[in-house]
Amino acid sequence: MKIRARYAHLVFSFLMSSLMAFIMTAVVTAINTGLAGDFVGRWAHAFLLAWMPAFACVLVLAPPIRKWVNARTVQD
């Protein structure tokens, strides 16, 4: 499947924020409340709350961070 260039940043932001929120909320939920009981329900709730701000952050912050890193990167 090919993605049109104009949608690449949107798709990247969606995937990056989804994976980041998925992993981080699982880890933090497990640390704070344990794996027993209704872990999946607590984790899903945390994920749903965390994903939207994560998506917004990646969508807004990735381009300037990429630009900053590229400006300071040299070829080996």
Side-chain angles (χ1 to χ4, degrees), residues 1-75:
M1 179 173 91
K2 295 290 184 180
I3 300 165
R4 290 181 175 248
R6 66 180 171 192
Y7 300 119
H9 179 62
L10 186 63
V11 172
F12 170 83
S13 297
F14 175 80
L15 293 174
M16 188 69 202
S17 64
S18 296
L19 290 171
M20 181 178 61
F22 185 87
I23 293 166
M24 293 306 299
T25 56
V27 169
V28 172
T29 302
I31 289 169
N32 287 333
T33 65
L35 295 173
D38 187 28
F39 170 77
V40 173
R42 292 187 316 265
W43 170 53
H45 179 74
F47 173 77
L48 291 174
L49 292 174
W51 176 77
M52 189 61 79
F55 178 67
C57 285
V58 173
L59 191 65
V60 172
L61 297 175
I65 291 170
R66 185 176 292 124
K67 183 177 178 180
W68 185 88
V69 170
N70 288 342
R72 284 148 184 84
T73 302
V74 294
Q75 295 297 321

